[in-house]
Amino acid sequence: MSDTDTKIQEAIANPQNMGEMSDADSVGTVGNPECGDMVRMWLKFDEKDGKKVIDKASFQSFGCQTAIAVASMATEMLKGKTVEEAQALDSKDLSAPLGPLPPMKIHCGEMVEGALRDALNGDSEASANEEPSPVAGNTLLGDMNNRVESSGKLKVVTLEEGEEQVL
Ligand code: FES
């Protein structure tokens, strides 16, 4: 087993920040049509020294072990980062604690990056003071079920806030 495989096994044995965040300010979802996996990431922001920083991040993943491991690492890494710093992170940065991913697993890290970008883009300054985002309480499983039921097959797209309210 490679060093990276060992680290992935360790990460999924004790994943950090897994689960939806009910008081999130923003949520992002992304998936891969090839493997059918999905990752959703929630972000909660705070202000520090006049800058908007990520107070906490959490994720849900219906994906392979690598995606779960990268998401776990990423949500730890994001704590305390400014939005600008988080935007500068790519999938390589997010998966760096695991070591270099094998070519066939690179998209797993990219999916986590995609969920982060979607969450960062979906954030609005006012969202923390408005009604809670309708997506924040949605589970990824429920969303996937809706998509499977309505389309007959899982179609993976980047979701806009509110778009997934198909109940
Ligand atoms: Fe698709 Fe890992 S195999 S996310």
Side-chain angles (χ1 to χ4, degrees):
M1 192 183 275
S2 73
D3 198 33
T4 297
D5 286 338
T6 306
K7 286 180 179 159
I8 289 171
Q9 293 301 325
E10 285 170 3
I12 61 165
N14 185 25
Q16 304 297 301
N17 313 305
M18 195 158 72
E20 64 181 290
M21 195 192 298
S22 57
D23 61 344
D25 293 320
S26 189
V27 60
T29 307
V30 81
N32 184 298
E34 299 297 319
C35 64
D37 294 338
M38 288 179 82
V39 171
R40 176 166 289 175
M41 189 179 287
W42 288 265
L43 297 175
K44 177 90 184 150
F45 298 103
D46 199 1
E47 203 171 301
K48 209 172 175 185
D49 302 329
K51 285 190 171 173
K52 191 171 173 180
V53 296
I54 295 173
D55 184 37
K56 53 184 180 172
S58 76
F59 76 97
Q60 277 188 329
S61 171
F62 284 83
C64 70
Q65 297 186 337
T66 306
I68 293 170
V70 175
S72 172
M73 297 287 174
T75 48
E76 279 294 283
M77 192 184 295
L78 289 168
K79 282 182 199 166
K81 291 246 185 304
T82 65
V83 170
E84 291 73 25
E85 286 168 343
Q87 269 162 345
L89 294 171
D90 64 14
S91 58
K92 272 192 188 160
D93 300 319
L94 297 172
S95 61
L98 298 170
L101 299 179
M104 69 206 289
K105 291 290 178 185
I106 288 186
H107 80 273
C108 315
E110 288 172 347
M111 224 168 56
V112 177
E113 179 191 336
L116 170 62
R117 295 212 179 285
D118 195 34
L120 290 171
N121 292 340
D123 173 55
S124 80
E125 289 290 334
S127 63
N129 303 320
E130 291 176 350
E131 297 273 310
S133 162
V135 283
N138 241 5
T139 66
L140 182 53
L141 180 60
D143 185 58
M144 286 183 81
N145 282 340
N146 288 337
R147 283 172 184 276
V148 171
E149 279 168 17
S150 62
S151 68
K153 65 175 186 172
L154 188 62
K155 185 172 172 231
V156 178
V157 291
T158 300
L159 301 169
E160 299 297 327
E161 279 197 5
E163 183 190 334
E164 55 210 296
Q165 294 299 293
V166 292
L167 291 173

